Amino acid sequence: KAGVTQTPRYLIKTRGQQVTLSCSPISGHRSVSWYQQTPGQGLQFLFEYFSETQRNKGNFPGRFSGRQFSNSRSEMNVSTLELGDSALYLCASSPGTGFWGQETQYFGPGTRLLVL
Amino acid sequence: KNEVEQSPQNLTAQEGEFITINCSYSVGISALHWLQQHPGGGIVSLFMLSSGKKKHGRLIATINIQEKHSSLHITASHPRDSAVYICAVRGGGGADGLTFGKGTHLIIQP
């Protein structure tokens, strides 16, 4: 099976712009989570989706949003970009068939966003 | 909110040594994950634990739920084990997303 794919892999934006990142989970996986990784804060949880519903949301401002489609693919959007949004954005998928919160997560390669 | 502490933050060892990385958390959890991240960013899930002990090749992970503590052991360490090892926990009942430790930077010298 193909792994988790994320597009684009690299992105450069300027302050004030918005950006959309895409994640395609492993075939058959229904749960997708998004994470932000920065040198200062490390890895932080953004959102979790299951069957097109947001199940959990991390402590991020409303500029960060996401959605999941019926084919389990997911997108996240950041509006009004700030310099501090520069980060590696990772998505991970899991089957969604086991106990909630007790499944191995399979990570994508990430999208590296630079905000100038 | 769960607090996740890892130790040590940095570890340099010689090839062949037995390695231990520790993780402590503050609130009850539904699962604990050990992750490996190589330079370049890719993250691989090594173990997902809710109790007891798991072994995969030269890697062993244990968790003590009562003491809120987990350890990751690497036996017969090799330079290719050099990476950042990250502990992450999931709240009880699956509530909340993963909370991550700051990671342990491991370097294995030949």
Side-chain angles (χ1 to χ4, degrees), chain B residues 18-23 31-36 45-65 69-75 85-88:
Chain B
F18 182 83
I19 303 299
T20 296
I21 300 171
N22 296 298
C23 175
L32 181 142
H33 299 252
W34 281 103
L35 310 171
Q36 180 192 57
S45 179
L46 298 174
F47 296 103
M48 193 280 297
L49 295 158
S50 53
S51 64
K53 175 180 176 178
K54 287 189 177 180
K55 183 176 188 292
H56 185 258
R58 295 180 295 106
L59 301 178
I60 303 166
T62 64
I63 188 167
N64 185 318
I65 296 295
H69 180 270
S70 175
S71 293
L72 175 68
H73 305 286
I74 306 174
T75 62
Y85 292 84
I86 302 167
C87 170

Side-chain angles (χ1 to χ4, degrees), chain A residues 9 33 35 37 40-45 48 55-57 88 90 100-109 112, chain B residues 29-31 33 35 37 40-45 47-48 50 86 90 93-102:
Chain A
R9 294 291 310 278
S33 297
Y35 304 95
Q37 187 176 34
Q41 298 296 319
L43 276 159
Q44 297 184 88
F45 167 72
E48 177 186 24
R55 217 155 48 165
N56 275 314
K57 187 177 192 301
L88 179 66
L90 292 150
W100 186 18
Q102 292 188 352
E103 290 188 325
T104 296
Q105 297 210 347
Y106 298 84
F107 286 80
R112 199 166 292 277
Chain B
I29 61 171
S30 61
H33 299 252
L35 310 171
Q37 186 171 33
I43 292 180
V44 173
S45 179
F47 296 103
M48 193 280 297
S50 53
I86 302 167
R90 184 89 189 231
D96 303 323
L98 290 177
T99 301
F100 297 86
K102 293 195 180 301

Side-chain angles (χ1 to χ4, degrees), chain A residues 30-109:
Chain A
R30 297 167 64 193
S31 181
V32 173
S33 297
W34 287 90
Y35 304 95
Q36 181 197 63
Q37 187 176 34
T38 60
Q41 298 296 319
L43 276 159
Q44 297 184 88
F45 167 72
L46 280 159
F47 339 90
E48 177 186 24
Y49 288 90
F50 176 78
S51 290
E52 302 179 69
T53 300
Q54 187 179 87
R55 217 155 48 165
N56 275 314
K57 187 177 192 301
N59 189 25
F60 279 81
R63 300 185 297 106
F64 291 80
S65 63
R67 58 179 176 168
Q68 187 181 31
F69 302 95
S70 59
N71 62 358
S72 294
R73 189 178 71 85
S74 178
E75 288 181 348
M76 67 163 281
N77 184 276
V78 188
S79 62
T80 320
L81 283 165
E82 301 177 359
L83 296 179
D85 297 332
S86 294
L88 179 66
Y89 290 88
L90 292 150
C91 86
S93 74
S94 59
T97 55
F99 289 112
W100 186 18
Q102 292 188 352
E103 290 188 325
T104 296
Q105 297 210 347
Y106 298 84
F107 286 80

Side-chain angles (χ1 to χ4, degrees), chain B residues 2-3 23-27 29 32 63-65 68-69 89:
Chain B
N2 225 327
E3 302 291 334
C23 175
S24 297
Y25 52 93
S26 57
V27 180
I29 61 171
L32 181 142
I63 188 167
N64 185 318
I65 296 295
K68 297 185 178 61
H69 180 270
V89 300

